[in-house]
Amino acid sequence: ERLYNMVQVILHMIHVLITENLRGGVLKVGSPIFTRVYQTFSRGFVHFLNAKKITDTLFPFPFAQAITILLVIQMALTPFIVTAIVNSPVWASALTFVVVLGIFGVNFAAAELEVPFGANYNDLPLQHFQEEMNMSLMMLIKGDAAGEDSDLLASSRTDTCAKPVRHRMTSTRDSGRYSDQSEGGMGGHASTIHELRRKSLAKA
């Protein structure tokens, strides 16, 4: 018997690994990006707990027993009620069959929806979801996942960050609004974008 929640343990290990690599300088990424990473992990764990609530919180047993007893009573009384209204034996049998089958079908469908996680045909395709997630993670491991021009982007980003950015407020007389223009901040990124576009056109 497991005494720990394995998903929570693995999540904690991933958090510790990210934090240690951030302190050691292995991950040279800004703090806002790491904030989004932790937020995504937290959101995923919340969704996992919501799915666990669906599995752990079962339908009330007395309510299920009452529904079963009422269905049996209805199945026993429906033929007498239908034959008192309909004179034809064929129509009476058909109406009884349709009514009883419909009510029992709704009950069985509700029982299938009560626990949507499993390996049955009516359950959610959890294995397919996991395979898609694994394929997405495998794509990130490939060497060309960051693109062929990642070195160019890194160098331009370093040059841009090294330059001081000066903001200048200019007013527009027609609209009466102010626009924020930066000098030295967008030049490096613009040249990088043009360089990447030129290379992609040359390859095409």
Side-chain angles (χ1 to χ4, degrees):
E1 185 179 0
R2 293 183 300 181
L3 300 178
Y4 302 101
N5 188 350
M6 297 304 297
V7 177
Q8 190 171 3
V9 171
I10 293 175
L11 180 63
H12 176 69
M13 292 170 63
I14 294 175
H15 283 172
V16 172
L17 184 63
I18 292 176
T19 305
E20 289 180 353
N21 286 277
L22 178 61
R23 292 179 179 177
V26 179
L27 301 176
K28 299 180 180 180
V29 184
S31 299
I33 298 179
F34 273 106
T35 303
R36 290 300 303 270
V37 170
Y38 290 135
Q39 182 181 1
T40 303
F41 276 117
S42 176
R43 188 181 305 168
F45 188 70
V46 169
H47 291 321
F48 169 76
L49 293 180
N50 292 333
K52 193 173 182 296
K53 290 177 184 177
I54 297 176
T55 305
D56 295 340
T57 307
L58 300 178
F59 195 76
F61 183 74
F63 198 1
Q65 293 299 107
I67 291 176
T68 303
I69 294 174
L70 291 175
L71 287 176
V72 172
I73 294 174
Q74 183 189 12
M75 182 178 60
L77 296 179
T78 300
F80 298 99
I81 297 175
V82 174
T83 53
I85 298 175
V86 181
N87 296 325
S88 174
V90 177
W91 281 107
S93 302
L95 290 176
T96 302
F97 176 77
V98 170
V99 171
V100 174
L101 179 65
I103 296 300
F104 272 88
V106 172
N107 185 33
F108 289 145
E112 288 289 333
L113 293 175
E114 182 181 355
V115 182
F117 309 109
N120 298 328
Y121 290 102
N122 295 326
D123 295 331
L124 293 175
L126 299 180
Q127 183 176 359
H128 177 67
F129 294 159
Q130 185 63 45
E131 290 176 355
E132 288 186 347
M133 183 65 184
N134 293 339
M135 291 297 296
S136 301
L137 295 177
M138 291 297 293
M139 285 193 306
L140 298 177
I141 299 178
K142 292 184 178 180
D144 55 349
E148 297 179 356
D149 299 321
S150 58
D151 296 336
L152 179 61
L153 285 173
S155 61
S156 63
R157 193 177 294 121
T158 303
D159 296 339
T160 305
C161 294
K163 295 179 181 180
V165 180
R166 293 176 298 173
H167 295 275
R168 182 180 59 191
M169 301 298 295
T170 58
S171 61
T172 306
R173 295 181 180 179
D174 298 334
S175 60
R177 299 177 180 176
Y178 291 92
S179 61
D180 188 6
Q181 298 178 356
S182 60
E183 297 178 356
M186 294 299 295
H189 289 289
S191 61
T192 303
I193 294 174
H194 289 300
E195 184 69 19
L196 293 175
R197 187 177 300 173
R198 184 182 61 81
K199 283 190 175 184
S200 61
L201 293 176
K203 292 179 182 179

